[in-house]
Amino acid sequence: MKRKNYWFLFAILLLSLTSLSPSFEFTKNVGNHTPGKDPIPPSQTPDTPESDLGPIQIAVQVNGDELDKLKQMNEAFMKETGAVVEIIPMESLESNESGLMGQMNLGEGPDVLLVDSQWINSLAVKGYLLPIDASQTDVPDSQLLGGLLPPVQWNGYQWGIPFDMDPYVLLWSPEGDQSELPSNRKAWLDYKNNNGDRPVFALDPDDPYAFASIVATLGGNPAQPNKEVISMLAPPVGDSWIDFIDTKGAIKPSTERSEGAGASIVIGAYSLLGRYLPEGSQLTLVSNNSNSTQPIIKSRSFAVTAQSESSSLAMAWIAKMTSKDAVLAWTEATGNLTAVSIIDNYTDSAINHSKMHREIIEQVTSMMEHDEAVRLNFGRDDGFGIYSSSVSDLLHGRMKIKEFLEQYKTASP
């Protein structure tokens, strides 16, 4: 009798183990790997029904106008597919990736991210993202600008799909014999001496790309500026060089202010300054005088989070947003350039009917086909957030020059 009971219990146990045998889980395989170890990329055909209609959440770093356009594109996707997709602005997390990581640690994160490309490496290293097979989108790797890919690649895999890019430019008006901008630091010092009490540059002190742009313009290394250039820009000396402006909203460059007020050169994103181009003014692409092949470019990429339970739908949504028609419509509405090499397809309205705009676009596109944009990370894998906060603290006088320089680390091999 006892033996029969043992066989009966064994049969029940075997049946239970068979029914509970898990299928391969696409969403958890990578997210739980130990940072620093080689992840094994999961199958790009997850065990998720093709009929998965969500809901999924998309967390995005966009401004108001961009949000309206993205919601419009998302509405078209939902109408076409029947899927439920919610767009969530990341206003409170705009410059703080640790806030996003905190949400994801609690299992409350979104399915898809549209964030600054320089966040991607750090998120991948910490196990928050899934590797992405770019062939699943309508934009093959051969069309993506090669210079935008390094920030979304790590350990031999790709963790994001570049969506758009926004080069940083100088907006200035030629005055008198000044038909060209200075080409080295000594020439800039002479320019400042001839400028009286008027600051030379106007920029947003909370924009790390604007800070990197002024460092590059003065001949420094944007990723790790030396003490000399930092001393020129930090208060109180920096007050004579920089006029603070807010570029998060629609601004009027200082070239449109009253005579004698404001700085003579505005530094900011092409998508913004290109819209407010006063008559007779010039746009010049920011580049390091000692290394002109590395422009200062902010780019954004899509990524799928490791906790997503609808990764197939997430990739379908990304594929739609990165289709040729979608990226051209995005450029038309926002002024941000696409991450794909399709300059011949830009409409006149997308480049503001200006030869100068087309020249900037052609210059940037040519550079980014082969050369990587400047990485703002102090030479560390997770350094972009530290770089951003340190720049703001330095320019606002909350951080000393010595403390700023102590943030630098040697880049990992």
Side-chain angles (χ1 to χ4, degrees):
M1 184 68 181
K2 290 184 179 180
R3 180 175 304 226
K4 290 183 180 180
N5 286 339
Y6 286 139
W7 278 109
F8 179 73
L9 291 173
F10 178 78
I12 292 178
L13 177 61
L14 181 61
L15 180 61
S16 300
L17 290 174
T18 303
S19 63
L20 292 175
S21 178
S23 60
F24 185 76
E25 289 189 351
F26 178 86
T27 61
K28 297 180 180 178
N29 185 62
V30 176
N32 293 333
H33 84 271
T34 303
K37 293 185 177 180
D38 292 346
I40 301 176
S43 168
Q44 293 294 333
T45 55
D47 189 15
T48 304
E50 293 184 3
S51 59
D52 181 8
L53 299 178
I56 61 173
Q57 293 183 331
I58 318 291
V60 297
Q61 287 181 320
V62 295
N63 62 37
D65 292 340
E66 293 172 338
L67 181 60
D68 291 341
K69 181 60 182 178
L70 193 61
K71 285 184 175 180
Q72 179 185 345
M73 295 163 65
N74 183 52
E75 288 291 336
F77 175 82
M78 290 193 294
K79 184 176 181 180
E80 177 183 334
T81 63
V84 178
V85 182
E86 181 185 7
I87 305 291
I88 304 173
M90 294 175 57
E91 295 175 356
S92 62
L93 304 175
E94 185 173 355
S95 59
N96 184 6
E97 62 182 286
S98 63
L100 172 63
M101 293 181 182
Q103 277 192 323
M104 298 176 77
N105 277 332
L106 296 173
E108 299 174 353
D111 298 87
V112 175
L113 302 174
L114 173 58
V115 295
D116 191 304
S117 297
Q118 301 208 46
W119 284 28
I120 299 297
N121 186 281
S122 178
L123 292 170
V125 168
K126 292 177 173 63
Y128 292 119
L129 302 180
L130 294 176
I132 283 184
D133 183 354
S135 66
Q136 288 191 333
T137 72
D138 290 340
V139 182
D141 280 339
S142 60
Q143 291 184 11
L144 285 169
L145 294 171
L148 299 179
L149 291 175
V152 301
Q153 296 172 331
W154 174 70
N155 254 356
Y157 304 111
Q158 185 165 321
W159 304 84
I161 298 290
F163 177 53
D164 64 6
M165 64 174 178
D166 206 358
Y168 272 62
V169 294
L170 307 176
L171 172 59
W172 60 289
S173 297
E175 299 176 359
D177 297 332
Q178 188 74 41
S179 59
E180 295 183 358
L181 292 176
S183 59
N184 56 59
R185 189 174 302 172
K186 181 180 182 302
W188 277 111
L189 289 168
D190 293 338
Y191 180 92
K192 183 181 183 303
N193 291 333
N194 295 329
N195 210 41
D197 295 333
R198 187 182 183 190
V200 177
F201 301 103
L203 54 83
D204 184 345
D206 298 317
D207 182 348
Y209 291 93
F211 173 81
S213 296
I214 191 173
V215 170
T217 299
L218 293 175
N221 176 0
Q224 294 186 346
N226 59 31
K227 185 175 181 180
E228 180 182 353
V229 72
I230 292 297
S231 299
M232 294 170 62
L233 302 177
V237 176
D239 295 338
S240 65
W241 278 93
I242 304 173
D243 182 21
F244 289 173
I245 57 175
D246 178 13
T247 58
K248 290 183 174 61
I251 65 164
K252 294 294 182 182
S254 58
T255 48
E256 294 186 352
R257 300 176 188 174
S258 59
E259 188 65 26
S264 57
I265 300 169
V266 182
I267 296 180
Y270 166 83
S271 64
L272 179 63
L273 298 187
R275 299 180 186 179
Y276 302 105
L277 196 60
E279 185 176 354
S281 61
Q282 298 285 324
L283 283 178
T284 302
L285 184 68
V286 171
S287 60
N288 190 320
N289 292 315
S290 63
N291 186 4
S292 59
T293 62
Q294 281 198 300
I296 309 296
I297 292 180
K298 177 179 181 179
S299 67
R300 288 177 294 195
S301 295
F302 289 114
V304 179
T305 65
Q307 66 185 39
S308 175
E309 296 181 356
S310 300
S311 50
S312 290
L313 177 57
M315 276 306 303
W317 188 87
I318 292 175
K320 184 65 175 180
M321 297 302 113
T322 54
S323 65
K324 184 176 179 180
D325 290 342
V327 295
L328 286 174
W330 180 255
T331 292
E332 183 91 19
T334 67
N336 290 287
L337 308 181
T338 72
V340 294
S341 183
I342 52 174
I343 183 173
D344 292 337
N345 297 100
Y346 284 133
T347 64
D348 286 339
S349 58
I351 59 174
N352 299 322
H353 303 279
S354 168
K355 178 183 178 182
M356 184 190 311
H357 285 79
R358 181 168 284 277
E359 288 175 351
I360 293 257
I361 295 172
E362 290 177 345
Q363 188 178 1
V364 171
T365 301
S366 176
M367 287 180 174
M368 298 312 295
E369 284 178 347
H370 307 289
D371 298 305
E372 181 182 353
V374 173
R375 299 284 291 276
L376 309 181
N377 59 5
F378 287 150
R380 23 195 319 174
D381 286 338
D382 60 347
F384 181 63
I386 300 170
Y387 186 100
S388 299
S389 60
S390 297
V391 164
S392 178
D393 288 343
L394 178 76
L395 295 183
H396 284 292
R398 299 186 294 262
M399 176 180 282
K400 303 298 183 182
I401 295 174
K402 181 181 178 181
E403 296 173 309
F404 189 89
L405 295 173
E406 288 173 351
Q407 304 297 318
Y408 299 2
K409 293 287 181 66
T410 302
S412 301

